[in-house]
């Protein structure tokens, strides 16, 4: 049978209020009484009821986390950053997959609200109007991790995606390329369409290189899409000699398709990806990549959420973390 606070109080010959004070770390308990209660708690293996404690304190010490796919190593880094900081501040995590599906995101948010979580961290590739409206009516504070929305009213943690993309493309320009392709994941993602693309465009125009729509492809963010995209773009007149890709998987697909076509990387084509997952070091040649610090984004998002939940002073709710380029062998 489940051991209750009443059982502990009876065995220790104290009131339930005294047991509650001991469990909650209240200093107004005599040391001898505290030791007696703790000894009984250990002997009976009593575990405080988190739900009951939450009802009393109006806090559940639980945070909801919604990410696209927890089985993906890419998102696992984000989740680990969130969990490490949550543990540091004694919060439990409810982790859910959205599968990058708007309807499921809305359902998961309602589920989190129903569980009365103290706060929510969400990563979404496309914060739609429906999702944004739901976030705006949330009974709990919310932080966006590695996600952007149009109003800039929801606290968030990101990097400067436009600047990072600009630096990647500028590196290829500085290496002498004039035919540079941008191979992206879906343009339903605001980061892909409204940030990375603008950085790509800025670097080309600054160098006096005309935009060519034939060199911009948005497709599924996968290895197979990278293979197909290279085969497609390599058939056009005057094909690209360099690629900036939205993810490591796309970049690896492009590299392998190029090698299948008899091209050498980086002598014939150069490739810079955006992500720097573990895959970047597994491919040959290893990928030069703009680093998306997902662990840091997760950790800082969770810390920002704790500040909001505890009503601490916050200087900036739109946090931009530093980024860098990891140079490897896919460029000269």
């Amino acid at each position: 049978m489940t051991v209750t606070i009443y059982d502990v109080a009876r065995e220790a010959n104290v009131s339930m209020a005294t047991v509650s004070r001991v469990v909650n770390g209240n200093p107004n308990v005599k040391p001898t009484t505290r030791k007696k209660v703790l000894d009984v708690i250990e002997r009976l293996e009593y575990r405080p009821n988190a739900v009951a404690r939450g009802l009393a304190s109006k806090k559940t010490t639980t945070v909801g986390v919604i990410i696209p796919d927890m089985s993906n190593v890419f998102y696992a880094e984000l989740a680990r950053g969130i969990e490490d900081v949550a543990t540091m501040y004694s919060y439990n995590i409810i982790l859910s997959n959205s599968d990058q599906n708007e309807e499921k995101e809305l359902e998961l948010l309602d589920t989190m609200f129903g569980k009365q979580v103290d706060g929510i961290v969400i990563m979404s590739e496309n914060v739609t109007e429906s999702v944004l409206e739901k976030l705006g009516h949330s009974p709990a504070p919310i932080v966006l991790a590695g996600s952007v929305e149009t109003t800039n009213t929801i606290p968030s943690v990101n990097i400067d995606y436009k600047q990072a993309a600009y630096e990647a493309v500028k590196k290829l320009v500085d290496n002498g390329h004039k035919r540079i392709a941008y191979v992206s994941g879906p343009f339903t993602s605001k980061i892909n369409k409204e940030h990375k693309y603008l950085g790509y465009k800025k670097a080309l125009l600054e160098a006096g290189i005309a935009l060519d729509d034939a060199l911009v492809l948005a497709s599924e963010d996968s290895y197979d899409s990278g293979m197909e995209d290279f085969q497609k773009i390599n058939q056009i007149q005057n094909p690209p000699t360099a690629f900036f890709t939205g993810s490591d998987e796309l970049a690896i697909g492009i590299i392998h398709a190029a090698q299948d076509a008899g091209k050498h990387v980086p002598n014939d084509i150069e490739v810079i990806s955006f992500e720097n997952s573990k895959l970047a070091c597994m491919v040959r040649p290893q990928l030069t990549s703009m680093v998306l610090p997902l662990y840091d984004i997760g950790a800082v998002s969770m810390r920002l959420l704790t500040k909001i939940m505890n009503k601490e002073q916050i200087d900036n709710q739109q946090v931009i973390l530093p980024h860098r380029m990891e140079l490897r062998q896919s460029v000269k």
Side-chain angles (χ1 to χ4, degrees):
M1 294 179 62
T2 301
V3 177
T4 68
I5 190 173
Y6 172 79
D7 299 321
V8 175
R10 185 187 60 207
E11 288 291 316
N13 196 26
V14 298
S15 69
M16 287 190 288
T18 297
V19 176
S20 178
R21 284 193 287 269
V22 171
V23 168
N24 290 293
N26 191 311
N28 298 320
V29 180
K30 292 180 180 179
T32 53
T33 302
R34 184 183 303 279
K35 183 178 186 306
K36 181 168 63 172
V37 171
L38 290 174
D39 287 345
V40 172
I41 286 174
E42 183 177 0
R43 177 163 55 83
L44 297 183
E45 298 183 348
Y46 170 63
R47 298 292 180 268
N49 188 318
V51 174
R53 292 173 70 188
L55 290 173
S57 65
K58 297 184 179 179
K59 290 185 178 181
T60 61
T61 63
T62 301
V63 168
V65 177
I66 302 174
I67 60 177
D69 182 3
M70 71 176 74
S71 68
N72 188 316
V73 174
F74 178 67
Y75 300 117
E77 282 290 303
L78 180 89
R80 183 56 189 263
I82 294 170
E83 184 180 32
D84 283 354
V85 174
T87 300
M88 188 184 307
Y89 287 89
S90 300
Y91 282 94
N92 301 308
I93 293 293
I94 300 176
L95 185 61
S96 299
N97 291 308
S98 68
D99 298 322
Q100 299 184 32
N101 179 285
E102 179 193 42
E103 184 176 342
K104 190 170 182 182
E105 282 182 348
L106 294 170
E107 290 175 358
L108 287 172
L109 285 168
D110 281 334
T111 298
M112 298 295 182
F113 299 160
K115 291 182 181 295
Q116 297 184 331
V117 296
D118 295 335
I120 297 173
V121 178
I122 179 171
M123 184 179 198
S124 176
E125 295 221 342
N126 182 24
V127 182
T128 65
E129 291 300 321
S130 296
V131 171
L132 186 59
E133 182 179 1
K134 179 81 70 174
L135 297 180
H137 291 91
S138 171
I142 289 180
V143 172
L144 294 173
S147 309
V148 297
E149 49 89 12
T150 53
T151 67
N152 285 328
T153 58
I154 308 294
S156 64
V157 180
N158 290 285
I159 66 169
D160 189 335
Y161 303 104
K162 177 182 175 181
Q163 180 64 23
Y166 165 80
E167 291 171 14
V169 178
K170 187 175 186 303
K171 170 67 175 174
L172 296 171
V173 169
D174 290 345
N175 282 5
H177 297 281
K178 297 188 181 300
R179 298 287 289 170
I180 302 171
Y182 171 39
V183 178
S184 168
F187 267 8
T188 51
S189 164
K190 289 182 174 63
I191 291 175
N192 289 337
K193 184 177 182 180
E194 299 176 12
H195 293 262
K196 294 179 188 175
Y197 175 68
L198 291 181
Y200 165 80
K201 180 179 177 181
K202 177 185 175 184
L204 293 184
L205 295 180
E206 188 179 90
I209 300 172
L211 287 171
D212 184 345
D213 290 340
L215 298 182
V216 178
L217 293 178
S219 57
E220 182 183 342
D221 204 347
S222 69
Y223 171 82
D224 289 339
S225 290
M227 293 274 289
E228 293 167 5
D229 289 340
F230 177 84
Q231 292 162 359
K232 178 180 178 181
I233 208 167
N234 194 47
Q235 294 175 1
I236 68 173
Q237 186 176 3
N238 195 11
T241 58
F243 289 80
F244 168 56
T245 73
S247 73
D248 292 342
E249 279 201 46
L250 281 169
I252 293 171
I254 286 169
I255 287 174
H256 286 173
Q259 291 169 339
D260 289 347
K263 294 185 178 293
H264 184 277
V265 180
N267 292 342
D268 297 323
I269 66 167
E270 294 187 271
V271 180
I272 297 179
S273 66
F274 194 107
E275 196 172 82
N276 197 49
S277 68
K278 294 178 181 179
L279 295 174
C281 291
M282 295 179 184
V283 67
R284 294 296 181 270
Q286 293 184 342
L287 270 173
T288 289
S289 185
M290 299 304 302
V291 177
L292 182 59
L294 275 182
Y295 179 91
D296 295 345
I297 289 175
V300 174
S301 295
M302 184 63 214
R303 180 63 185 112
L304 178 59
L305 184 63
T306 64
K307 287 184 177 182
I308 298 171
M309 292 188 295
N310 294 327
K311 296 180 171 52
E312 298 177 33
Q313 181 177 346
I314 299 170
D315 296 327
N316 184 11
Q317 291 195 345
Q318 310 297 325
V319 179
I320 302 297
L321 299 180
H323 63 269
R324 72 181 195 280
M325 182 186 299
E326 194 69 44
L327 289 168
R328 298 191 182 92
Q329 293 81 43
S330 64
V331 297
K332 295 178 184 177

